[in-house]
Structures are given as structure tokens and as C-alpha cells.
Amino acid sequence: MGGAVSAGEDNDELIDNLKEAQYIRTDRVEQAFRAIDRGDYYLDSYRDNAYKDLAWKHGNIHLSAPCIYSEVMEALKLQQGLSFLNLGSGTGYLSTMVGLIIGPFGVNHGVELHKDVVEYAKERLDEFIKNSDSFDRFEFCEPHFVVGNCLEISSDSHQYDRIYCGAGVQKDHENYMKILLKVGGILVMPIEDQLTQITRTGQSSWESKNILAVSFAPLVQQSRTEGCKPDAVVLPPLSVRTLQDLARIYIRRTLRNLTNEEQPARNNTQRAPQKRKRRRCRRRRRINTYVFVGNQLIPQPMDSEGDECIEEESKEEEQEKDSEPVKPEEPRVNHLRDKILSLPLPESLKAYLLFYREK
């Protein structure tokens, strides 16, 4: 599934293409997609394919096409402080983007069938927290993943504001999914080859809207041998943050706001729009010549019918390209980190404020 937009050379170019095709429509979703490099969730030997609008699968590891994730993120209508459940959480790519939007006072849980995929997701998450500057540019709700079958969630589980299921749901499991949703909440899942948005409007009332035609592998149903009941999946508890953790959140928020005020030009910079090649089309005619073969006159086509479209750059763009020297991209400065390191504080407290990140 995928192929709706052109491939990009990097993560930013992929997002540009998704915006142009109207898969990404809001600033909040765009910022989350730009902050998380899709290539970081690929195995190194497959990273060249990361910025194509295609799904990727290797063993149990799976990523949906970028156009699908874009539609899901837009349909969830995420806000700060919401609770989110990802059924079939996979690599954690989507859960990490969601965590950037719902913030530190949200809830971010995922259920994944395969233990090796949960381990892979935890490695990717740890890499993001330790090494990505995006972690300092956003307030983050860290995802928590558990191993288990999405269809075996404990009946006394808490409900969520937003739910996404990343596998095809059969009609007879639709109500099971709906029960996990709070009143006023939104559930996005593929049902009968349609990505569907379901809003719970009351205790026993829902509104449904089809978003996009899709093709998903179905949810795996656990085999039930006679007299053997599958283990119920226990979701992570809803924990309350400690005062120490709350203090760190608010100190970092205050310092981040200060650095934003000190760097207004940096905050107002926008990504330059892509220069598109101009398409020049010319119509070609069929021209027949005739030759004698024996006593017969045989037509010989010299050209084919149809339109020929050639992508070319305008003369202005060519001149601009020739005249402008290529400037090396300036490395991005982590202003929050620099601000924390400049404070007259004990090194242990600085390390705590930086989440013990070395970079």
C-alpha cells in the first residue's frame, strides 16, 4: 500500500511531497513528521527505501506507507494531554510522533504481538531520546509498549481518548474495539479495506467516516485449544508523575520559552519551497513513408502517435543554479541544551535536566 506521492531524497522532502498531495494538512502533524526521521526506523541496509511512499516489511518488523500514517495522524485530531492506545504498535514510529503532540501529561501505550518487535521499538525509542535534538524541541510523552494480542486485552482495562489499530479489523471485532474508547474519543482503524474514523458520541452511540481505501493484513486471532484460555493482556497502569519529574518538566519548559524569545529569527525561519521542474509537452504526429517490396507498396511508420512530456528547468533556474555557490548546510544548534549547560548548577542536576543525554 502506498505510492501516492513521489519519493523524497530525505525525510524533509518526503514531508514536502505529503503536504503537496494534501495528506498532511495541519502544522501540528507536519512538525511531528519532520521531527522524527522515518529512516531511523529502518534497518541500515534498507534505509535507502525509507523516503518512498511505500510500506516496508522485514520479518516481523513492519512500517505502513507514509501516506497512511499521515491520514491516521490527521484523523486522530491529537491534542495535548490526551490518552492514546496503539494496537499493533510495531516499530514505535507512530507512537513516538503521537508523543510529541500529546505532551508529558498525556498517556501513550502500545500493544504488539511480537516480542522481537517490541524490543526493536524500545531500541528505536531509546536512540531517539538519547540522540535526537527533537527531544529537546518538544515536550514528550514517552510510549510504553507491552507484548500481547490486541484481541485479548483485559476486560477491566481503562479507556482511551484516541485509539489506532494498525491491522485489518473484522466486523465481528468492531464492537470490541469501540468499548476501549472513551465517550468523545476517536478510533481509527481499517475495516473491510477502508481506513475508518469512528467517534464515540455517547455510551452506546458512534459516528463513522471512511477516510481512505487501504489494504491491511488482518489482526492475528490467537488459537484457542480446548480447556486452554489465552493470557489476558494487561495494559500499563496510569501513573502519576513525581514532584521531581514535574519540576524538571516545568524548568525545561521555562528555559525553552526563554531560548525561543532570545532566538526569534530562528523560530520564524521556514523551509524554502521546492523548485519544481517545468513540464514541456509536444505532440508528435505519425509520418508514413512508403517503400516497394516486390510489387506491393508498404507503409513504414517513422514516428509514433501521442504526446511527449519532458521535464526541464527554466532558463532562469539554470542561470540561478550556475550563479549561486552551493552553501553547506549549517548544523542545527540545540539551544535548550546550551542554556542548561550554561546555568550555575551542579553537574548532577544539569545531567538530570538533560535526561542524562550525552549529545
Side-chain angles (χ1 to χ4, degrees):
M1 186 69 200
V5 301
S6 302
E9 292 185 2
D10 56 24
N11 194 66
D12 274 325
E13 191 170 314
L14 172 63
I15 308 313
D16 289 340
N17 294 338
L18 291 167
K19 277 191 67 181
E20 185 179 3
Q22 290 294 299
Y23 284 101
I24 293 178
R25 300 179 288 277
T26 59
D27 291 341
R28 185 174 290 178
V29 170
E30 179 188 352
Q31 290 168 8
F33 268 87
R34 291 198 190 280
I36 308 296
D37 194 320
R38 179 177 168 90
D40 292 341
Y41 290 80
Y42 275 64
L43 296 172
D44 289 340
S45 55
Y46 295 91
R47 191 179 177 112
D48 289 346
N49 296 319
Y51 310 115
K52 298 176 181 177
D53 187 31
L54 297 171
W56 173 67
K57 182 173 174 60
H58 180 81
N60 291 326
I61 301 171
H62 176 264
L63 278 165
S64 293
C67 66
I68 301 295
Y69 284 134
S70 304
E71 287 288 3
V72 169
M73 290 284 285
E74 293 287 358
L76 286 170
K77 298 182 179 179
L78 297 163
Q79 301 173 24
Q80 284 197 355
L82 295 180
S83 56
F84 172 68
L85 176 62
N86 191 350
L87 300 172
S89 50
T91 64
Y93 172 63
L94 180 73
S95 294
T96 303
M97 287 194 292
V98 169
L100 297 178
I101 297 178
I102 63 177
F105 302 111
V107 174
N108 196 351
H109 294 164
V111 180
E112 169 57 43
L113 180 63
H114 302 288
K115 184 177 180 180
D116 61 323
V117 179
V118 170
E119 293 302 318
Y120 184 84
K122 289 179 178 178
E123 290 172 5
R124 298 298 91 206
L125 175 62
D126 188 53
E127 185 72 18
F128 167 74
I129 293 173
K130 285 183 177 180
N131 297 319
S132 175
D133 282 346
S134 294
F135 181 79
D136 284 333
R137 290 190 287 112
F138 292 80
E139 292 187 329
F140 185 52
C141 182
E142 184 175 335
H144 294 276
F145 305 112
V146 296
V147 180
N149 191 303
C150 299
L151 298 174
E152 302 295 340
I153 293 175
S154 178
S155 58
D156 60 351
S157 171
H158 37 267
Q159 295 175 314
Y160 292 81
D161 298 302
R162 300 291 187 268
I163 300 174
Y164 170 64
C165 181
V169 178
Q170 297 180 2
K171 267 291 183 184
D172 53 352
H173 292 138
E174 182 178 348
N175 287 333
Y176 168 86
M177 298 291 178
K178 289 177 176 178
I179 296 302
L180 297 170
L181 194 64
K182 288 181 180 179
V183 174
I186 295 174
L187 163 64
V188 178
M189 61 182 178
I191 306 176
E192 297 181 338
D193 295 330
Q194 282 288 333
L195 188 64
T196 306
Q197 179 195 62
I198 297 173
T199 305
R200 187 168 190 174
T201 55
Q203 286 296 334
S204 56
S205 59
W206 291 266
E207 292 180 355
S208 296
K209 174 186 174 183
N210 289 340
I211 302 171
L212 188 70
V214 293
S215 177
F216 275 71
L219 278 172
V220 175
Q221 298 187 54
Q222 198 161 335
S223 59
R224 297 173 180 266
T225 56
E226 189 173 346
C228 181
K229 186 177 180 181
D231 294 333
V233 176
V234 179
L235 295 173
L238 300 179
S239 58
V240 177
R241 289 186 178 273
T242 64
L243 287 175
Q244 182 176 344
D245 195 21
L246 289 172
R248 175 166 59 179
I249 290 169
Y250 282 105
I251 290 171
R252 284 172 62 89
R253 179 182 293 178
T254 302
L255 293 174
R256 188 183 294 108
N257 290 339
L258 283 172
T259 59
N260 289 342
E261 291 173 4
E262 293 168 359
Q263 303 289 332
R266 172 177 61 87
N267 296 328
N268 292 331
T269 55
Q270 294 183 350
R271 179 173 167 82
Q274 280 184 297
K275 291 183 178 178
R276 301 286 177 183
K277 290 183 178 181
R278 182 167 58 88
R279 292 177 67 86
R280 175 171 59 84
C281 296
R282 66 168 182 257
R283 188 175 297 278
R284 296 191 297 176
R285 297 180 301 166
R286 179 183 293 273
I287 303 173
N288 289 333
T289 60
Y290 295 86
V291 297
F292 280 100
V293 178
N295 294 324
Q296 294 183 327
L297 193 62
I298 306 296
Q300 298 291 312
M302 299 299 292
D303 205 345
S304 59
E305 291 181 309
D307 294 335
E308 179 184 36
C309 291
I310 302 171
E311 288 190 347
E312 60 178 18
E313 294 180 347
S314 65
K315 291 182 179 179
E316 293 82 1
E317 289 174 340
E318 289 177 351
Q319 291 171 357
E320 186 179 336
K321 185 182 290 186
D322 293 336
S323 61
E324 285 187 4
V326 178
K327 296 180 181 179
E329 187 176 345
E330 295 182 4
R332 177 171 243 154
V333 178
N334 189 329
H335 294 276
L336 176 61
R337 180 179 181 82
D338 289 349
K339 176 65 82 174
I340 291 173
L341 291 174
S342 70
L343 295 174
L345 296 173
E347 293 302 316
S348 59
L349 182 51
K350 291 181 184 179
Y352 179 73
L353 290 174
L354 291 169
F355 284 82
Y356 304 99
R357 301 171 73 232
E358 296 180 359
K359 292 186 178 181

